[in-house]
Amino acid sequence: MLNSIRESLEKDGYAILPTVLKPDFLARTKKVMRAVQVQIEAEVGSDRLQRAGERGVLRLMMKFSPQFFTLLEIPEVLEVIDEMLSPTAILHLQNGFILPSLPAEERENVAQFQFHRDFPRYMNGYRASLNFLFAIDEFTENNGATLVVPGSHRKAKPPPDAYMQKNAVKAFCPAGGVIVFDSMLWHAAGNNTSGQDRFAINHQFTRSFFKQQFDYVRALGENTVIGLPPRSQQFLGYYTRVVSSLDQYYQPEEKRLYRRHQG
């Protein structure tokens, strides 16, 4: 499996693991995501969410439900991270997607429908970031399967839009599968014309010395984080915190906020 993924990532920039989540987990996750969407709107406000230019994006879901911590413990995903990125990688972001079925004119100004890179820093082939896009629903022809531009992760400059439109392919994926892709790969949400929302969850992992989208330790609370498995603590940035006082700096090694050998 690892050899196949490595070859696909190097050549095309993406690969698909067909089954890593079970049907009962998928059904439960969809219900929880719908509830979290309501909670986020209540906390942030619909006006601010609309100004962000997003549709159906759920950020910081772990704050609202422990269901989403379990996605940090999938053995197949951990194996790929260790081999293709780094054993000390951290979670840059976890975003949920409830992609609505929209007419063409409503998609024009929505950010996720535009071709983009999730890690916009070309580093001459050095892999600094990987994405894992979990298909909570099956990604199909008509429900907005993610569009990817094979090989575009190797390009220093953005390919012309006409090139991406012509060469993009739909990343079909069964429910419970995950699309692994180099974060330098140009991609966009596909057009959902199914009449139903399409559910997915995106994880982006980076080398440990890049800043996270959220300070997860502060956002979730230190007590919550230390109650998780050690690898999950690692992902959430618990071992790469920045000191804010001399007292924190001059601590014995086992008490330091930024631990040794973090990559």
Side-chain angles (χ1 to χ4, degrees), residues 21-35 67-68 135-138 175-176 199 201:
L21 302 175
K22 295 181 179 180
D24 59 337
F25 181 89
L26 299 176
R28 187 166 63 252
T29 297
K30 289 181 69 170
K31 291 180 180 179
V32 176
M33 287 178 70
R34 189 66 82 183
Q67 171 85 359
F68 304 105
I136 307 302
D137 283 322
E138 181 181 6
F199 287 71
I201 296 174

Side-chain angles (χ1 to χ4, degrees), residues 73-108:
E73 303 170 18
I74 299 170
E76 298 93 332
V77 171
L78 300 182
E79 192 173 9
V80 174
I81 293 171
D82 286 349
E83 292 292 328
M84 311 296 169
L85 187 59
S86 169
T88 59
I90 59 174
L91 181 72
H92 179 69
L93 61 81
Q94 179 193 75
N95 289 339
F97 295 118
I98 303 179
L99 186 71
S101 181
L102 294 172
E105 60 271 17
E106 291 189 33
R107 296 193 296 264
E108 294 179 359

Side-chain angles (χ1 to χ4, degrees), residues 121-254:
R121 302 168 187 85
Y122 182 72
M123 303 181 75
N124 198 29
Y126 176 75
R127 183 176 293 139
S129 179
L130 273 180
N131 282 64
F132 293 79
L133 182 59
F134 295 93
I136 307 302
D137 283 322
E138 181 181 6
F139 282 27
T140 68
E141 178 71 33
N142 65 351
N143 77 350
T146 297
L147 299 170
V148 297
V149 184
S152 60
H153 63 299
R154 298 192 302 269
K155 298 181 181 296
K157 296 181 180 180
D161 189 64
Y163 174 91
M164 291 195 282
Q165 295 289 347
K166 179 181 178 181
N167 291 279
V169 299
K170 295 179 179 180
F172 298 122
C173 185
V178 59
I179 304 169
V180 186
F181 63 95
D182 190 305
S183 303
M184 293 294 293
L185 186 73
W186 288 87
H187 65 284
N191 297 334
N192 183 0
T193 58
S194 67
Q196 302 290 330
D197 292 340
R198 189 215 70 195
F199 287 71
I201 296 174
N202 179 40
H203 282 182
Q204 182 181 353
F205 295 93
T206 65
R207 305 273 181 172
S208 61
F209 44 84
F210 290 98
K211 288 185 178 180
Q212 297 165 287
Q213 186 180 82
F214 284 92
D215 182 338
Y216 283 110
V217 176
R218 286 200 301 163
L220 301 172
E222 185 172 343
N223 289 338
T224 296
V225 175
I226 62 177
L228 298 172
R231 190 64 191 275
S232 296
Q233 295 177 20
Q234 166 83 47
F235 284 144
L236 293 173
Y238 190 65
Y239 301 162
T240 52
R241 292 172 290 166
V242 179
V243 300
S244 59
S245 69
L246 291 172
D247 178 65
Q248 289 179 344
Y249 186 88
Y250 290 104
Q251 289 289 332
E253 185 173 336
E254 67 274 9

